[in-house]
Amino acid sequence: DAGVTQSPTHLIKTRGQQVTLRCSPKSGHDTVSWYQQALGQGPQFIFQYYEEEERQRGNFPDRFSGHQFPNYSSELNVNALLLGDSALYLCASSLRGLAGLTGELFFGEGSRLTVL
Amino acid sequence: SQELEQSPQSLIVQEGKNLTINCTSSKTLYGLYWYKQKYGEGLIFLMMLQKGGEEKSHEKITAKLDEKKQQSSLHITASQPSHAGIYLCGADGGFGYFGNEKLTFGTGTRLTIIP
């Protein structure tokens, strides 16, 4: 049973460009959350998708947007890239509202974005 | 907003020794997750604690949530090189039993094991 999978694993972009990152949740999970982890810091919550809608959002600008598909997979889009967007982007999946009961809140390996 | 402080920030331990990592919250914890991260890689789920006084163990790792639910500790017994990495605690932002799965993380504790 595959866990949370993310692609691509690494990518390099230049300032002003746009990037799309992808995430497939663990089988049986329906909720996807995205986090940004800068070097030496803990992950920071970007937003969460459930039933193809954004349900919660952290303190990130509108340049960060996302989408969830009917098969529960998700995309994170970042427009007008800045140098400060360089980070590891992590995807987490869960079964909506039940992580507190099951303890199942699992992360993928992440996508390492470098902005030059 | 909730803030988590982890201590120590880094730890160097000789193989075979025991160690403890602490996670202190500015607010009551309703769900506290512990993860391990290899440098630059994804987060590996270790344990989740929810009830005051709760204690869970997995192999040589034990995590506890204090009665007041504002502090958690992670204890490793007889450390091994495989325990090296960054340990992160994450607090669920919800107020109920089921949480909202929006985690606030500490900055992590970097653990190095010396053979």
Side-chain angles (χ1 to χ4, degrees):
Chain A
D1 177 24
V4 182
T5 58
Q6 293 187 241
S7 63
T9 54
H10 295 84
L11 68 167
I12 300 173
K13 294 285 187 177
T14 56
R15 281 179 297 175
Q17 285 189 313
Q18 178 263 345
V19 67
T20 298
L21 308 178
R22 297 175 177 82
C23 172
S24 292
K26 182 181 184 296
S27 177
H29 285 181
D30 59 5
T31 300
V32 173
S33 302
W34 288 92
Y35 290 78
Q36 180 195 66
Q37 186 179 24
L39 198 63
Q41 301 295 316
Q44 293 207 334
F45 179 84
I46 303 175
F47 43 54
Q48 181 185 82
Y49 276 84
Y50 169 68
E51 289 186 334
E52 302 179 47
E53 289 189 14
E54 183 182 298
R55 299 292 178 170
Q56 301 184 78
R57 190 178 182 93
N59 189 25
F60 279 80
D62 292 343
R63 297 188 297 109
F64 289 77
S65 63
H67 188 79
Q68 186 179 37
F69 300 93
N71 66 353
Y72 308 121
S73 67
S74 176
E75 288 183 349
L76 164 65
N77 300 294
V78 186
N79 296 321
L81 285 168
L82 304 173
L83 295 179
D85 295 331
S86 296
L88 180 67
Y89 288 85
L90 295 161
C91 167
S93 80
S94 56
L95 188 58
R96 174 70 172 178
L98 294 182
L101 180 65
T102 65
E104 287 197 357
L105 183 58
F106 297 146
F107 284 77
E109 291 293 314
S111 294
R112 169 76 60 187
L113 171 65
T114 301
V115 182
L116 301 177
Chain B
S1 62
Q2 187 165 32
E3 292 185 359
L4 293 181
E5 183 175 333
Q6 287 187 238
S7 62
Q9 291 185 333
S10 65
L11 193 55
I12 301 174
V13 173
Q14 192 170 21
E15 184 178 352
K17 298 294 185 182
N18 302 336
L19 63 105
T20 299
I21 298 169
N22 294 305
C23 175
T24 302
S25 173
S26 59
K27 296 183 178 181
T28 300
L29 293 163
Y30 288 94
L32 190 285
Y33 294 77
W34 281 101
Y35 293 90
K36 177 186 172 185
Q37 184 176 33
K38 287 288 190 182
Y39 307 112
E41 298 181 5
L43 275 60
I44 300 168
F45 174 79
L46 296 175
M47 277 166 278
M48 191 275 284
L49 305 166
Q50 202 165 46
K51 301 175 185 176
E54 186 174 15
E55 179 175 321
K56 289 186 177 179
S57 294
H58 176 69
E59 297 180 343
K60 295 184 178 180
I61 301 176
T62 300
K64 301 178 184 179
L65 183 61
D66 75 354
E67 290 289 346
K68 294 183 179 180
K69 296 174 64 174
Q70 284 201 268
Q71 186 172 37
S72 179
S73 61
L74 186 82
H75 184 77
I76 298 177
T77 303
S79 58
Q80 302 170 352
S82 61
H83 290 130
I86 299 171
Y87 288 81
L88 290 155
C89 62
D92 191 295
F95 295 96
Y97 182 79
F98 295 103
N100 66 5
E101 296 143 36
K102 174 184 175 182
L103 299 191
T104 297
F105 283 91
T107 54
T109 295
R110 182 181 294 261
L111 174 62
T112 302
I113 306 295
I114 299 174

